[in-house]
Amino acid sequence: MTTPSTSQPMGYGSDLVVDLLRAVGVEHVAINPGATFRGLHDSLVNYGGARGPELVLTTHEEIAVALAHGYAKAKGRPMAAVVHDIVGLQHASMAIFNAFCDRVPVLVLGATGPMDTARRRPWIDWIHTALVQGTQVRDYVKLDDQPASVAAIPEALLRAWRLARTEPQGPVYLCLDAGLQEEALARPVPMPDVARFEPATPPHADPRAIDDAARRLVDARFPVIVVESLGRRPGVAAPLCRLAELLAAPLVDLSVEYQGRPSVPSRHPLDMSGARDEVVREADLVLALDVSNFLGALGSVDRSTREVRLLNESTRVIAISLEDYAARSWAQTFQSLVPVDLPIAADAALALPALLAAVEDRLGRGHDRASAERRARADRIAARHAALHAEWQAAVKLERSSAPLSPAVLAALVWQVIKDEDWVLANGSAKGWARRLWDWQPERVTGGSGGAGLGYGLPAALGVTLAHRNSGKLCVNLQADGDLLYVVSGLYTAAHHRLPLLTVMFNNRTYGNDEEHQETMAKARGRPVENKVVGIRIDDPAPDFARIAQGFGVHAEGPLDRADAVDAALRRALRVVKDEGRPALVDVITRP
Ligand SMILES: Cc1ncc(C[n+]2csc(CCOP(=O)(O)OP(=O)(O)O)c2C)c(N)n1
């Protein structure tokens, strides 16, 4: 993209918006164009220009917001997405919901009107203007606002920016009247001192509750630590593993299954994420850190009867999170109400070192009557951990020469190609196989959509790649076909902005998850199981993702279905990404 350089004076309402974005540190703005923000668009191009923020062109508002979602997770700081009036906002809404569930800050800027009917063009300005546009997404943003004058814009933007980043974080929506954007200013509006509008520091845990938690953990017969989104905050893996080691407590990371944020390294000997049922069944005490899905943590679902029950009714629970502060009434994202014996409202990442210190203190004070017992437990867990890993490796070996490839074999092939790189997993998990087979380090993994709304993978991975641009990191996207088809034109953004993302298609030519549901349904009702593919398979004709990607200007190969061909294509794609700084896609057919 060529960005004009400019030294224009602040002349319009939308110039002020650009100055505010720059002042708070927004470096990128993803857009899909629309007349309601033509004022802001002009200001970004001709007033901000080379000084930034940089425009990122997307071909769908869902892509713009999902890209900003991925970026915020990778960068630790939000960017903005600008979406056209009510139609752009409707397209954006799915991605806003995902960011809300994932507790990720995104500054969504919208536009409307003009609200002044005397200034509207016939037809389009009327049919695309809502009375309080923010109501469309109000149930899944932390704040929506619509300033009524240019003078009110700084306060509205600073409040939105602050609330988005205050824990628990989330997206915000700020609607800018087209008339205000285009209003000529008699004089420049003074810039506020943005450093004085920072978010409040996140809350620590009550020290008495931490001490109580430490006592219960040290006294427990078989404590288990369960995490879901703890990895939202950097640097949690080390204290988490240390706590588990002191307590000889198995670690269960739910983040892959429930699209949270990873915090447990898969090769830690106490990692029992692959045997959650076993350890939770045995637990007398569970420490849940940043968990919202308590039934997913402590229960099991009978797939045919759909009956949900706790694995162990007598297990006691300590929970540390800010989830109760994020509760909203519309979508029941708070999930099932499970009994908790010691609930602690705190930022779990801040509570963790305090809890670790309290446990260390107790063990050091001679309260540790059970250290031999603990050592034996740690050995037993480590042996089970090793056995699980051996089983997974054996499964890959057995299937390696089959065609099409299984997700496990493809995950193993990708690992062979990237393992010596400074890799980042920008999206996907190969149905959990990347965690099982790779040296899965949580700080290298960005996590899932949060809201399980499809159309997330590619755009979020592009946001991650944008955040890591010029860092030397290799961003990898393990991409399902169904998910990609919602947002396939994101490949244009990849090519246009030269975002060096390596996408590997796990192309099973079906909506695999739904195929499983239809199979369960057919079996339960005694109906023909072979009909499970009707209205589900994506194979007649099978989309040719390599040609589609090439059409958008992306290096691509495929479809491929044999291990040796895949390995060679992945290595060529890696060269394109690393040496040419361009995106590449390898389309691999996987077993449905
Ligand atoms: C926006 C949206 N529409 C529909 C669904 C329902 N859904 C959940 S999983 C799934 C299939 C996903 O297929 P794909 O992305 O190819 O992954 P696979 O299950 O085949 O690995 C669908 C359609 C959803 N979660 N989100």
Side-chain angles (χ1 to χ4, degrees):
M1 184 182 63
T2 51
T3 317
S5 65
T6 167
S7 54
Q8 303 259 329
M10 185 198 286
Y12 300 92
S14 53
D15 292 350
L16 168 66
V17 176
V18 168
D19 276 350
L20 285 164
L21 293 176
R22 285 164 38 76
V24 298
V26 171
E27 290 176 2
H28 302 280
V29 176
I31 64 156
N32 178 249
T36 46
F37 69 88
R38 63 189 181 187
L40 180 57
H41 195 154
D42 168 71
S43 294
L44 285 162
V45 173
N46 293 313
Y47 177 69
R51 294 177 303 155
E54 183 190 355
L55 273 184
V56 178
L57 173 58
T58 69
T59 49
H60 193 298
E61 292 82 357
E62 180 171 9
I63 296 174
V65 175
L67 188 148
H69 179 172
Y71 176 95
K73 288 201 274 189
K75 196 82 174 179
R77 198 173 64 230
M79 60 177 273
V82 191
V83 301
H84 185 37
D85 60 39
I86 58 175
V87 289
L89 188 56
Q90 287 179 78
H91 267 180
S93 60
M94 176 67 262
I96 295 174
F97 180 76
N98 276 338
F100 176 75
C101 293
D102 208 14
R103 313 265 179 261
V104 171
V106 177
L107 178 62
V108 184
L109 296 176
T112 186
M115 294 309 291
D116 180 354
T117 55
R119 295 174 62 187
R120 284 187 198 164
R121 295 171 296 168
W123 187 54
I124 198 76
D125 283 351
W126 287 85
I127 63 169
H128 281 187
T129 300
L131 194 57
V132 193
Q133 200 160 279
T135 55
Q136 199 173 279
V137 292
R138 183 166 293 166
D139 285 308
Y140 43 96
V141 290
K142 286 191 71 182
L143 174 86
D144 69 277
D145 200 0
Q146 187 171 319
S149 68
V150 169
I153 290 176
E155 178 176 335
L157 195 137
L158 288 177
R159 183 182 294 108
W161 182 248
R162 180 164 87 177
L163 279 177
R165 294 175 306 139
T166 302
E167 296 287 347
Q169 299 183 333
V172 290
Y173 175 67
L174 188 63
C175 185
L176 300 167
D177 184 334
L180 296 186
Q181 294 174 50
E182 293 173 32
E183 192 172 305
L185 305 178
R187 66 190 73 82
V189 176
M191 267 301 112
D193 178 1
V194 299
R196 301 184 69 197
F197 298 91
E198 280 296 291
T201 54
H204 277 271
D206 173 355
R208 284 166 308 177
I210 287 293
D211 199 48
D212 190 4
R215 180 184 57 78
R216 294 180 195 219
L217 285 164
V218 168
D219 290 347
R221 179 186 45 76
F222 193 89
V224 172
I225 304 176
V226 181
V227 289
E228 186 179 4
S229 293
L230 183 66
R232 272 184 196 129
R233 304 282 237 102
V236 288
L240 179 64
C241 292
R242 179 81 189 119
L243 182 66
E245 287 156 17
L246 283 178
L247 296 166
L251 285 160
V252 174
D253 192 335
L254 302 171
S255 62
V256 167
E257 208 177 339
Y258 298 112
Q259 316 215 344
R261 309 278 283 280
S263 52
V264 179
S266 62
R267 293 193 177 171
H268 191 284
L270 292 171
D271 175 44
M272 281 281 104
S273 305
R276 179 187 64 91
D277 290 23
E278 288 171 31
V279 293
V280 171
R281 212 169 264 129
E282 196 176 342
D284 60 335
L285 181 65
V286 164
L287 170 66
L289 297 173
D290 222 336
V291 170
S292 53
N293 180 5
F294 278 94
L295 269 188
L298 306 173
S300 73
V301 186
D302 184 317
R303 280 193 83 93
S304 49
T305 63
R306 290 176 182 250
E307 200 185 336
V308 185
R309 56 170 54 162
L310 292 177
L311 288 160
N312 180 347
E313 296 281 349
S314 64
T315 305
R316 302 281 133 177
V317 179
I318 303 170
I320 310 182
S321 86
L322 290 172
E323 276 302 295
D324 282 355
Y325 294 156
R328 302 291 282 272
S329 304
W330 181 66
Q332 305 211 324
T333 52
F334 40 71
Q335 305 180 55
S336 177
L337 190 65
V338 164
V340 171
D341 304 279
L342 181 57
I344 304 176
D347 181 313
L350 286 180
L352 182 59
L355 184 58
L356 179 60
V359 166
E360 267 169 347
D361 186 47
R362 278 193 175 263
L363 294 177
R365 271 196 274 141
H367 289 256
D368 190 18
R369 290 182 301 275
S371 64
E373 211 175 281
R374 225 174 255 123
R375 265 197 306 278
R377 187 164 71 226
D379 289 346
R380 174 162 69 92
I381 296 164
R384 182 72 184 109
H385 169 95
L388 282 170
H389 279 256
E391 273 173 38
W392 295 329
Q393 294 293 346
V396 171
K397 217 165 163 187
L398 204 67
E399 293 175 338
R400 203 186 134 88
S401 50
S402 66
L405 302 174
S406 69
V409 172
L410 182 51
L413 287 170
V414 175
W415 177 241
Q416 284 312 310
V417 173
I418 68 157
K419 67 181 180 1
D420 296 324
E421 305 291 335
D422 186 6
W423 60 273
V424 168
L425 182 55
N427 168 61
S429 72
K431 302 225 170 284
W433 282 101
R435 188 176 195 283
R436 292 179 202 114
L437 302 175
W438 299 13
D439 181 5
W440 176 275
Q441 300 157 24
E443 59 279 7
R444 292 184 181 275
V445 184
T446 322
S449 67
L454 294 175
Y456 165 87
L458 174 69
L462 292 175
V464 173
T465 311
L466 180 66
H468 290 305
R469 198 165 57 175
N470 305 324
S471 70
K473 290 192 188 298
L474 170 71
C475 294
V476 181
N477 172 24
L478 307 181
Q479 178 64 60
D481 54 331
D483 181 61
L484 180 64
L485 285 170
Y486 292 84
V487 284
V488 70
S489 64
L491 291 166
Y492 176 74
T493 299
H496 178 66
H497 287 285
R498 315 276 187 280
L499 292 170
L501 173 67
L502 174 61
T503 293
V504 184
M505 294 295 303
F506 283 64
N507 181 4
N508 58 9
R509 292 181 170 160
T510 188
Y511 293 108
N513 181 284
D514 295 277
E515 206 166 309
E516 287 174 33
H517 283 296
Q518 296 317 121
E519 182 173 326
T520 308
M521 205 44 32
K523 282 180 180 161
R525 295 178 172 184
R527 291 176 178 171
V529 169
E530 60 276 17
N531 285 350
K532 69 179 183 177
V533 298
V534 180
I536 302 260
R537 285 274 165 103
I538 316 171
D539 61 355
D540 181 20
D544 185 336
F545 287 100
R547 284 177 63 193
I548 293 168
Q550 286 159 2
F552 282 112
V554 170
H555 166 93
E557 293 191 46
L560 305 168
D561 66 357
R562 303 208 71 90
D564 46 356
V566 170
D567 181 75
L570 286 174
R571 289 179 196 281
R572 282 189 292 272
L574 181 67
R575 293 265 62 88
V576 170
V577 169
K578 284 187 68 177
D579 299 349
E580 299 173 34
R582 289 197 299 127
L585 177 147
V586 179
D587 180 19
V588 185
I589 307 308
T590 51
R591 234 175 24 216

